[in-house]
């Protein structure tokens, strides 16, 4: 019971952060929605089903689960946000070690992200 409640809280909290990420630059939407769907799948099947059938959240979740795919738009947005974060970091009073290590980490994330497949196009024959 406690485990299911923890998964439900994680699902709600993650979805809330994902929804906040829609209008807020710098806060990603899709990773939090994916986390929400994963947590819901562990402790709240009805909520998982709702997410999978949702017109906005469902397609990225299904594409990720079926193909490990990330849309080109999401890749460009994520890359832009990482670049903006690095630029802001350089103009901050952050320690030099952070100014060097974060861009390297984000570059590795960007390489991984751009190597993910694109969502499959639906063709009608």
């Amino acid at each position: 019971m406690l485990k299911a409640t923890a998964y439900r809280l994680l699902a709600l909290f993650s979805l809330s952060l994902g929804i906040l990420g829609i209008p807020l630059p710098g806060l990603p939407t899709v990773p939090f929605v994916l986390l929400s769907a994963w947590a819901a799948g562990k402790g709240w099947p009805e909520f998982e089903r709702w997410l999978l059938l949702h017109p906005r959240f469902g397609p990225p979740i299904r594409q990720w689960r079926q193909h490990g795919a990330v849309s080109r738009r999401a890749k460009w947005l994520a890359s832009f946000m990482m670049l903006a974060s690095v630029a802001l970091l350089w103009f901050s009073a952050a320690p030099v070690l952070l100014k060097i290590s974060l861009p390297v980490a984000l570059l590795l994330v960007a390489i991984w992200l751009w190597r993910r497949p694109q969502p499959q196009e639906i063709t009608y024959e």
Side-chain angles (χ1 to χ4, degrees), residues 2-116:
L2 184 62
K3 195 173 184 182
T5 302
Y7 280 122
R8 287 178 177 212
L9 289 173
L10 178 60
L12 288 174
F13 181 69
S14 299
L15 183 62
S16 299
L17 288 176
I19 290 171
L20 280 174
I22 293 170
L24 293 177
L27 187 63
T29 298
V30 173
F32 286 117
V33 172
L34 292 175
L35 177 60
S36 179
W38 174 82
K42 298 288 185 185
W44 200 353
E46 299 85 8
F47 188 59
E48 179 190 31
R49 195 172 313 108
W50 179 83
L51 283 170
L52 288 169
L53 296 175
H54 191 276
R56 178 154 175 99
F57 302 132
I61 295 168
R62 290 190 303 271
Q63 288 294 332
W64 176 257
R65 286 184 174 181
Q66 293 169 3
H67 309 287
V70 179
S71 73
R72 183 172 301 233
R73 181 176 186 266
K75 291 176 183 180
W76 278 110
L77 284 171
S79 299
F80 174 74
M81 296 314 285
M82 286 188 276
L83 186 60
S85 297
V86 168
L88 288 172
L89 180 67
W90 275 100
F91 293 109
S92 74
V96 173
L97 181 60
L98 183 62
K99 288 182 177 185
I100 294 169
S101 60
L102 185 65
V104 170
L106 290 179
L107 177 62
L108 293 174
V109 170
I111 291 169
W112 173 84
L113 180 65
W114 280 95
R115 293 184 55 128
R116 304 302 316 152

